[in-house]
């Protein structure tokens, strides 16, 4: 509400004339749809006469307008930029004359008209925030609130910054009606109702993404200048810098944008954010920035295999769906995979009781309860402080002698200041106990006291480091160190470009690279640095 003027600005005559240059005039009759839920967004629509009502769906009698755009205001949110399906309906009220700016030209506007572009971009972002807060648009997940697949799908949509609703048939009459209508048994839940009317039965993240239009088909004939594998801080930084310098860029990630940084509850030591920022907020800004400069983001979409066509000097990336990406250069920014606790029945509780990040979704699950957290790095410290604001008590289990050797001092002091965080050093989890996939208690062993403790705890958070995500590269012959990290730069007797792997034209940056500093700032820096190397490589192969 305090940002209403930024969310819904009324443009001055001079600004309207600028927007005219980037769009085409359109006429809409009274009651005609300007945009429809589930259909690809037409782009940004500047109203010149008449009004356009933005509603949750077409039944305006039941749902009052979210906002009504009059002369001098524009309709659209981030789907206008991304080309994804619209999250709301737009309906003409009276005859409407408008200028429609498609996504491609909208990106031109944002770049060429910096001051006006800033106001437009801010409005698009704030409108998406409003839709997220009000759960307007997007799919409906129907299932038990603590079901691991419900949590999996909710987590995916939350990390993708995509609005959605979750209805629990045990407490919601509308959900029960839907279950009865489609004759869904309890063991078939969750189901997902997509905006276009499709119903999915416990879909994968990729299936859901394709249903709601987050992922479009890749043109197999397009030759990209650079393909970036991984959309964490390093990959997104490369995408922003490469696209802003005119390169044709595609980014693939098998899960969502943000990587491990996107799972951080709060990052306080990243330059330029003295009050801190959540990982997902920081990474969402980078994601939108990459779109602004024209990078193609295919997320979630997995790079399953990397091949090289030596004759044409191009690389081919295969995806599990049978799609192919062609690129002249490849940047590996796949980061790392979460390490798992060495407990036999861990998988039985993953997803609904064992967690690898601490977002508001997990905070809501454990509200008012005791939780256990394993880890001693900065990510563990950030998660512990966040969970302390939600949980009754946080048991922080540390395998080492103390936190001092592995955690920033400011986080240690903050943990010490929280009365409901108890740090147990020299301590390891020995067993998880529960029935039918529901965690009931946790056992841990303290090596100092030589005592075992059993507590009724239903949520365990693991922040015990990560292993490089490089197994998919082994068949291609990329050089790896004994721990699986990608080896870059020149060794004795070698001539190699900075960040280049053992295969010319393939580069590695961020946490996946051997010798990298595992920090968000370092990953962003490498994403910027590698671009100079890529330019040099592309110039060389184009001359040859």
């Amino acid at each position: 509400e305090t940002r209403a003027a930024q969310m819904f600005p009324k443009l001055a005559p001079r600004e309207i004339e600028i927007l005219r240059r980037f769009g085409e005039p359109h006429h809409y009759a009274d009651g005609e749809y300007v945009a429809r839920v589930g259909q690809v967004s037409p782009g940004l629509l500047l109203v010149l006469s008449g009004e356009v009502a933005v509603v949750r769906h077409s039944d305006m009698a039941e749902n009052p307008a979210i906002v009504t755009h009059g002369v001098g205001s524009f309709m659209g949110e981030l789907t206008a930029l991304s080309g994804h399906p619209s999250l709301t309906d737009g309906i003409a009220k009276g005859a409407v004359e408008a200028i429609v700016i498609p996504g491609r030209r909208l990106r031109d506007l944002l770049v060429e008209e910096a001051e006006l572009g800033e106001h437009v971009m801010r409005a698009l972002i704030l409108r998406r925030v409003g839709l997220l807060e009000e759960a307007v648009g997007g799919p409906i997940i129907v299932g038990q609130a603590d079901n691991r697949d419900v949590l999996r799908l909710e987590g995916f949509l939350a990390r993708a910054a995509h609005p959605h609703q979750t209805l629990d048939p045990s407490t919601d009459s509308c959900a029960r009606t839907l279950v009865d209508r489609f004759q869904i048994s309890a063991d078939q839940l969750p189901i997902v109702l997509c905006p276009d009317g499709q119903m999915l039965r416990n879909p994968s993240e990729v299936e859901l993404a394709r249903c709601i239009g987050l992922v479009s088909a890749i043109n197999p004939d397009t030759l990209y200048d650079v393909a970036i594998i991984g959309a964490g801080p390093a990959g997104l930084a490369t995408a922003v810098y490469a696209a802003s310098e005119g390169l044709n860029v595609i980014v693939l990630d098998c899960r969502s944008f943000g990587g491990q940084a996107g799972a951080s509850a709060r990052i306080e030591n990243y330059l330029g954010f003295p009050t801190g920022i959540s990982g997902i907020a920081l990474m969402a800004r980078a994601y939108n920035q990459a779109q602004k400069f024209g990078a193609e983001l295919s997320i979630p979409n997995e790079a399953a295999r990397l091949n090289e066509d030596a004759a044409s000097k191009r690389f081919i990336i295969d995806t599990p769906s049978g799609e192919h990406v062609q690129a002249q250069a490849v940047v590996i920014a796949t980061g790392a995979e979460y390490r798992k606790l060495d407990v036999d029945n861990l998988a039985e509780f993953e997803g609904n009781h064992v967690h690898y990040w601490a977002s508001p979704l997990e905070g809501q699950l454990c509200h008012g309860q005791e939780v256990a957290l394993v880890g001693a790095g900065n990510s563990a410290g950030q998660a512990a402080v966040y969970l302390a604001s939600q949980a009754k008590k946080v048991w922080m289990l540390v395998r080492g002698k103390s936190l001092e050797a592995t955690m920033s001092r400011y986080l240690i002091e903050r943990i010490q200041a929280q009365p409901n965080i108890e740090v147990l050093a020299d301590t390891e989890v020995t067993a998880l106990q529960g029935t039918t996939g529901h965690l009931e208690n946790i056992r841990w062993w303290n090596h100092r006291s030589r005592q075992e403790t059993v507590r009724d705890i239903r949520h365990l958070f693991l922040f015990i480091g990560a292993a490089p995500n490089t197994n998919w590269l082994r068949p291609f012959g990329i050089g790896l160190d004994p721990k699986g990290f990608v080896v870059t730069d020149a060794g004795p007797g070698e001539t190699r470009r900075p960040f280049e792997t053992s295969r010319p034209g393939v580069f590695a940056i961020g946490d996946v690279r051997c010798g990298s500093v595992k920090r968000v700032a370092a990953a962003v820096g490498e994403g910027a640095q590698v671009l100079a190397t890529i330019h040099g490589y592309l110039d060389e192969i184009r001359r040859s």
Side-chain angles (χ1 to χ4, degrees), residues 3 124 221 261 288 334 383 427-428 430 480 485 487 495-496 541:
R3 292 185 171 184
L124 301 183
D221 298 324
N288 293 330
T334 48
T427 303
E428 295 185 70
T430 55
L480 307 176
F485 291 93
V487 177
T495 302
R496 198 183 297 180
I541 64 171

Side-chain angles (χ1 to χ4, degrees), residues 220-251:
D221 298 324
T222 299
L223 177 61
Y224 295 92
D225 295 314
V226 57
I228 301 166
I229 316 301
L236 288 177
T238 306
V240 168
Y241 283 103
S244 69
E245 294 185 16
L247 295 183
N248 190 10
V249 179
I250 187 170
V251 183

Side-chain angles (χ1 to χ4, degrees), residues 152-153 156 192 200-210 300:
R152 171 178 60 83
L153 296 171
F156 163 69
V192 180
L200 306 178
R201 297 173 186 260
N202 194 15
S204 68
E205 287 91 330
V206 173
E207 289 171 330
L208 176 56
R210 292 193 182 279

Side-chain angles (χ1 to χ4, degrees), residues 270-469:
Y270 187 70
L271 187 68
F273 293 90
T275 59
I277 185 171
S278 72
I280 189 62
L282 180 64
M283 292 297 97
R285 293 182 184 197
Y287 176 80
N288 293 330
Q289 199 171 12
Q291 288 188 103
K292 168 185 172 179
F293 289 116
E296 184 176 336
L297 298 151
S298 185
I299 305 172
N301 206 355
E302 183 178 5
R305 187 168 58 248
L306 178 61
N307 298 300
E308 182 179 8
D309 184 343
S312 61
K313 295 184 179 180
R314 65 184 60 181
F315 298 94
I316 297 110
I317 301 161
D318 300 329
T319 72
S321 63
E323 292 182 307
H324 308 284
V325 176
Q326 297 187 76
Q328 293 184 297
V330 175
V331 175
I332 307 299
T334 48
E337 300 174 305
Y338 296 106
R339 284 201 174 97
K340 299 190 176 184
L341 203 63
D342 187 17
V343 176
D344 291 339
N345 59 344
L346 179 72
E348 183 180 345
F349 306 110
E350 286 181 309
N352 53 348
H353 294 280
V354 174
H355 314 281
Y356 294 91
W357 50 80
S359 72
L361 180 61
E362 288 75 34
Q364 183 179 356
L365 282 175
C366 66
H367 184 77
Q369 303 177 35
E370 288 192 10
V371 302
L373 184 149
V374 181
N378 277 3
S379 294
Q382 291 160 354
V385 171
Y386 170 71
L387 291 171
S389 69
Q390 305 293 319
K392 178 181 178 182
K393 180 161 187 175
V394 178
W395 294 92
M396 196 168 183
L397 311 180
V398 178
R399 187 173 59 178
K401 301 295 182 184
S402 68
L403 298 175
E404 273 71 14
T406 54
M407 188 179 294
S408 295
R409 187 65 212 173
Y410 82 93
L411 280 171
I412 295 175
E413 292 175 355
R414 187 162 297 169
I415 287 169
Q416 292 171 343
Q418 306 304 313
N420 61 337
I421 299 180
E422 185 166 345
V423 179
L424 301 178
D426 288 320
T427 303
E428 295 185 70
V429 172
T430 55
L432 305 178
Q433 296 178 323
T435 57
T436 62
H438 292 278
L439 183 63
E440 295 173 357
N441 59 64
I442 298 176
R443 292 176 178 266
W444 61 73
W445 176 262
N446 186 282
H447 293 280
R448 290 182 186 177
S449 64
R450 312 296 297 174
Q451 290 183 343
E452 185 178 60
T453 300
V454 181
R455 294 201 68 88
D456 293 336
I457 290 177
R458 287 165 177 74
H459 292 281
L460 172 65
F461 293 82
L462 300 180
F463 292 84
I464 54 177
N469 187 5

Side-chain angles (χ1 to χ4, degrees), residues 69-83:
H69 293 292
V71 176
S73 63
F74 57 86
M75 185 195 80
E77 52 93 49
L78 286 175
T79 56
L81 182 63
S82 66

Side-chain angles (χ1 to χ4, degrees), residues 170-216:
S170 65
T171 58
D172 190 284
S173 60
C174 291
R176 286 195 296 273
T177 300
L178 287 170
V179 169
D180 293 341
R181 175 185 173 188
F182 293 107
Q183 298 181 332
I184 306 296
S185 61
D187 61 348
Q188 293 178 309
L189 293 174
I191 59 171
V192 180
L193 301 180
C194 296
D196 65 358
Q198 291 187 66
M199 186 188 77
L200 306 178
R201 297 173 186 260
N202 194 15
S204 68
E205 287 91 330
V206 173
E207 289 171 330
L208 176 56
R210 292 193 182 279
C211 186
I212 62 179
L214 285 183
V215 181
S216 302

